Amino acid sequence: MINDTLNNTSKLQSALIIAEASLSALPNDTPYQKFEMRFKEWGFEKGWGDTAERVMETVRSLSEVLQAPDPDNLEKFFSKIPMIFNIVIFSPHGYFGQSDVLGLPDTGGQVVYILDQVKALEEELLLRGKQQGINVKPQILVVTRLIPDAKGTNCNQEVEPINGTKYSKILRMPFRTENGVLRQWVSRFDIYPYLENFVQDATAKILDHMEGKPDLIIGNYTDGNLVASLMASKLGITQGTIAHALEKTKYEDSDLKWKELEPKYHFSCQFMADTIAMNATDFIITSTYQEIAGSKDRPGQYESHAAFTLPGLCRVVSGINVFDPKFNIASPGADQSVYFPYYEKERRFKQFYSAIDELLYNKTDNEEHIGYLADKKKPIIFSMARVDVVKNLTGLTEWYGKNPRLRNLVNLVIVGGFFDPNKSKDREEMAEIKKMHALIETYQLKGQFRWIAAQTDRQRNGELYRCIADTKGAFVQPALYEAFGLTVIEAMNCGLPTFATNQGGPAEIIMDGVSGFHVDPTNGDESSNKIADFFEKCSLDSEYWNKYSTEGLKRINECYTWKIYANKVLNMGCIYSFWRQLNKDQKLAKQRYIQMLYNLQFRNSVSRFPRSQSRLQR
C-alpha cells in the first residue's frame, strides 16, 4: 500500500497529511482512478479505497494509529486494509458435504455452520476488496476427509465447488495408512491415528491449489483444530480455532474416569489435542461467553482445561488462561434464504407442502417416519438433533410421556437418527435408538408422537420449521449441554417460540421469558410443566404465542446474523496477524514447548490406539 519513497515514519506521516488535505477538496464519490497518479506520487499504492471518501477514512485511520495506537484504532485500521485473501478451513471428521449428509454419523450442525460461514466470509471478502479498490478473487478451501465408501454422498469426490459461492471449494483428502487408504467412515473419537498423514497430504494439495500459502487457517472441533495447528506451525500462518464442543465438559468427571471411558472415547488423545490446539492458535472463536468461562453453576468449556488430571497419565496445571486476549466471541447466524419467518408466504417453499404433510401426518409407518398424530388440530412441539446422550432427545420424549397435561395440549415430533439401531455404526446412537423405542412402548405414545428419521434437505427442513409454526407450536432443544445451538437460531429465524437448555450457548441466545424460555435438562418435571404452562396461556390469549414469536425474531436480527459474524472473524484475522508478527520470539518459544507436548504426550497416546484395518484400499 506504500512504495519505496516512504521509507521512514516521518515521511509517511507527512505524506498522510498531504493526502488528507488534497482528498478533502474532492467530492466523496470521486473514483480512485481519478486521483491515482497523484496518490502514487505521494508514495501510496492501491488498497486504500475505491472512492475519495473511503481513501480519506483509511488515511485518517492510519494517522490516528500512528498518533495514538490504542486497540480500537488498530482494529479500525486493519479492518480497512487488504490483508486476507485466501482462507483454509479444516473439518476432517464425519461426512462433509452439501447434500444427503445431515443425520449421518458425526454429521450435523458443524457442517451447516461451516457452509454458511464460507458463504458469509466470501461475500465479506468480495465486498472489502471492492471497497478497498482492488480486484481480487478470494479463495476459501474447506479441507475434509475423502471417504471412498461414501454412502451415496459426494464425500468420495476430491474437489467440489460450494453452492452459492464464486471461488470457494471443498477439498477432500483420504485417510492414508501404511497399508493403504481407509475406505469407511471413522468415528470422531477414533480419528487421531490418521491425522498426521492427513495434514501432510493436505498441506501439499492446498499449496498446489492456492499456488502459495493461505493467509488464514481456521480449525473446527478437536481434529480440525489439531490439524490446523500442525499446518500453521509448519507454514508460519495465522491460525484461528473453533471448538464447537469440547468433549471434556460433556461427560461428568471424564478426566478422572478417562481409563474407564478410554475404549469408547479415547479421551487421552482428545484432551491433549484440545490443549495443544488452544495454546498453539493465534485466536479462538467462540459463540458465547459461557463457552469460555461458564456460569455460576458450571465451568466453561475452556475453563475446564485450566487444570485437570488424567490419573496415571499426566497432570495439567496451566492448560489455558481464559483471560488471554486470544479469546473472542463471534456468534453465527442461520442462512436467512432458507430460515425465514413463517408469515412471509410469498417466499415459502410451497413445493414441499405435500411432502411435509405426509411426513407429519401419514399414519403408515415406513423408513422415514414411525408413530402418528391422531389429532391434527393440536400444536406440535418439535425437536431436531442427532440421537445421542448429550442431545437428550430421549429425555424430551420421557418428559412428554410423563406429563399428561402436556400430552393433552400438544403433539410431539422428534427428528433424528435411524429407527433400526443396526443401521447405525455409532455405539452411543445405537443405545439411544433402543431407549427411544422402549419409551414409546412404556408411555404408549402412539397417536401423540411422531418420530421422523434424520432429514438432509436443508430447504425442506426450513419449511418444516415454518409448518410447525403454522400449528402454533414450539421448538424444544433439551440438550444436557449445548456449546451454541444452531437449531435454536434456525427455529427463532422461522418465528417459532423456542424452549432451550439452560446449559451452554442457548442460555445466552434466549433471554428467558423475553425472547423464549430456558429449560433445565436435569429436571424433566419442571421443564415439561414450563412448556405446558406456555401452551395453556396460548389457549387463553391468542396474542401470547405471537409475542414470543416476534421477540425471538427481534433477538436474532439484533445479534445473530452471518453478516455480523463474517465482519468480526475477518477483523480477527487481520489484527492477530499483526500481533503474530510483533510477537515472533514469544510465539517461537511457546511453539517449542507445544511441540514437545505433541511428540512426547499426544503421539505416545496415539501409538497405543487400536487402528481400523478393515476395508483398506491399496
Side-chain angles (χ1 to χ4, degrees), residues 316-337:
V316 176
V317 294
S318 185
I320 190 67
N321 174 15
V322 294
F323 298 102
D324 194 309
K326 71 169 62 179
F327 282 100
N328 301 269
I329 299 172
S331 302
D335 184 344
Q336 293 183 322
S337 67

Side-chain angles (χ1 to χ4, degrees), residues 184-407:
Q184 74 273 23
W185 164 82
V186 176
S187 166
R188 69 186 190 276
F189 297 116
D190 301 335
I191 205 171
Y192 303 102
Y194 311 102
L195 294 181
E196 199 161 307
N197 283 340
F198 176 81
V199 73
Q200 290 172 2
D201 297 341
T203 300
K205 190 68 76 171
I206 288 164
L207 294 174
D208 182 48
H209 265 269
M210 289 190 160
E211 299 180 350
K213 294 180 183 180
D215 304 303
L216 176 63
I217 300 174
I218 299 174
N220 291 273
Y221 190 68
T222 304
D223 52 346
N225 289 334
L226 182 66
V227 167
S229 299
L230 295 173
M231 182 175 168
S233 175
K234 181 178 180 180
L235 299 181
I237 298 166
T238 304
Q239 175 199 355
T241 58
I242 306 172
H244 294 282
L246 292 167
E247 300 289 345
K248 190 170 175 297
T249 51
K250 283 188 179 182
Y251 301 88
E252 191 174 357
D253 297 329
S254 54
D255 47 0
L256 298 177
K257 297 177 182 175
W258 76 273
K259 285 185 180 178
E260 176 187 331
L261 299 168
E262 188 72 358
K264 186 175 182 180
Y265 298 113
H266 306 292
F267 284 150
S268 66
C269 293
Q270 183 143 22
F271 295 170
M272 282 302 104
D274 282 326
T275 304
I276 288 167
M278 67 180 69
N279 281 281
T281 190
D282 295 291
F283 63 97
I284 295 170
I285 304 167
T286 67
S287 299
T288 63
Y289 173 83
Q290 284 199 33
E291 198 175 330
I292 305 169
S295 63
K296 64 179 182 177
D297 301 316
R298 186 186 184 105
Q301 289 192 62
Y302 285 96
E303 186 183 16
S304 72
H305 287 74
F308 62 94
T309 300
L310 304 179
L313 185 66
C314 66
R315 176 175 293 173
V316 176
V317 294
S318 185
I320 190 67
N321 174 15
V322 294
F323 298 102
D324 194 309
K326 71 169 62 179
F327 282 100
N328 301 269
I329 299 172
S331 302
D335 184 344
Q336 293 183 322
S337 67
V338 175
Y339 303 101
F340 53 83
Y342 70 96
Y343 53 75
E344 294 185 10
K345 302 291 186 183
E346 70 286 351
R347 295 180 63 192
R348 289 186 60 168
F349 306 141
K350 298 177 179 63
Q351 69 269 28
F352 296 122
Y353 281 3
S354 61
I356 290 173
D357 187 72
E358 193 277 339
L359 200 63
L360 290 173
Y361 298 114
N362 186 300
K363 291 189 176 182
T364 305
D365 288 354
N366 58 32
E367 290 187 354
E368 197 171 21
H369 50 74
I370 62 174
Y372 66 94
L373 307 178
D375 187 351
K376 292 176 67 172
K377 294 181 180 179
K378 276 186 183 180
I380 292 172
I381 59 171
F382 162 63
S383 193
M384 179 160 52
R386 294 192 310 275
V387 181
D388 63 28
V389 171
V390 175
K391 294 299 184 184
N392 200 31
L393 292 183
T394 54
L396 173 60
T397 304
E398 190 162 15
W399 302 353
Y400 180 79
K402 284 182 173 180
N403 192 321
R405 185 163 66 105
L406 184 60
R407 291 175 67 169

Side-chain angles (χ1 to χ4, degrees), residues 316-598:
V316 176
V317 294
S318 185
I320 190 67
N321 174 15
V322 294
F323 298 102
D324 194 309
K326 71 169 62 179
F327 282 100
N328 301 269
I329 299 172
S331 302
D335 184 344
Q336 293 183 322
S337 67
V338 175
Y339 303 101
F340 53 83
Y342 70 96
Y343 53 75
E344 294 185 10
K345 302 291 186 183
E346 70 286 351
R347 295 180 63 192
R348 289 186 60 168
F349 306 141
K350 298 177 179 63
Q351 69 269 28
F352 296 122
Y353 281 3
S354 61
I356 290 173
D357 187 72
E358 193 277 339
L359 200 63
L360 290 173
Y361 298 114
N362 186 300
K363 291 189 176 182
T364 305
D365 288 354
N366 58 32
E367 290 187 354
E368 197 171 21
H369 50 74
I370 62 174
Y372 66 94
L373 307 178
D375 187 351
K376 292 176 67 172
K377 294 181 180 179
K378 276 186 183 180
I380 292 172
I381 59 171
F382 162 63
S383 193
M384 179 160 52
R386 294 192 310 275
V387 181
D388 63 28
V389 171
V390 175
K391 294 299 184 184
N392 200 31
L393 292 183
T394 54
L396 173 60
T397 304
E398 190 162 15
W399 302 353
Y400 180 79
K402 284 182 173 180
N403 192 321
R405 185 163 66 105
L406 184 60
R407 291 175 67 169
N408 285 334
L409 289 164
V410 296
N411 292 317
L412 173 62
V413 172
I414 296 290
V415 178
F418 304 99
F419 309 135
D420 182 357
N422 296 320
K423 286 186 177 180
S424 174
K425 293 183 179 179
D426 186 282
R427 297 174 290 256
E428 195 174 279
E429 184 180 40
M430 291 169 72
E432 286 295 290
I433 290 169
K434 291 175 184 176
K435 183 178 178 182
M436 186 72 83
H437 284 291
L439 290 169
I440 294 168
E441 293 303 317
T442 300
Y443 294 105
Q444 295 295 299
L445 296 179
K446 288 183 179 177
Q448 298 175 306
F449 173 83
R450 179 72 138 193
W451 183 5
I452 299 170
Q455 298 296 299
T456 59
D457 187 322
R458 290 184 69 200
Q459 287 199 328
R460 193 166 84 162
N461 285 346
E463 196 55 45
L464 179 58
Y465 281 112
R466 288 185 285 275
C467 287
I468 301 295
D470 290 339
T471 75
K472 298 298 180 183
F475 183 78
V476 184
Q477 208 276 27
L480 300 177
Y481 181 81
E482 184 64 55
F484 179 61
L486 199 55
T487 53
V488 172
I489 297 290
E490 291 170 354
M492 292 169 74
N493 259 298
C494 294
L496 261 179
T498 301
F499 295 78
T501 179
N502 61 8
Q503 300 298 315
E508 290 179 41
I509 297 171
I510 291 173
M511 298 173 69
D512 189 31
V514 178
S515 53
F517 301 92
H518 297 163
V519 292
D520 183 351
T522 64
N523 190 335
D525 291 343
E526 176 187 276
S527 298
S528 63
N529 281 319
K530 194 170 188 176
I531 300 168
D533 290 344
F534 171 79
F535 282 102
E536 279 190 345
K537 289 175 183 176
C538 289
S539 66
L540 298 172
D541 179 1
S542 60
E543 286 303 307
Y544 193 73
W545 187 93
N546 292 333
K547 172 188 172 184
Y548 285 95
S549 173
T550 302
E551 287 299 319
L553 278 162
K554 181 181 175 185
R555 175 72 173 164
I556 291 298
N557 290 324
E558 286 175 352
C559 305
Y560 299 97
T561 70
W562 281 113
K563 173 70 177 171
I564 297 169
Y565 173 95
N567 184 57
K568 284 184 177 181
V569 169
L570 290 179
N571 286 352
M572 289 176 211
C574 294
I575 194 72
Y576 285 100
S577 293
F578 169 74
W579 288 118
R580 181 185 178 88
Q581 293 300 316
L582 214 60
N583 299 317
K584 274 185 177 179
D585 292 341
Q586 183 182 347
K587 181 80 176 175
L588 187 61
K590 192 173 188 180
Q591 275 185 338
R592 290 194 188 106
Y593 185 85
I594 289 169
Q595 285 166 0
M596 181 184 71
L597 183 62
Y598 176 81

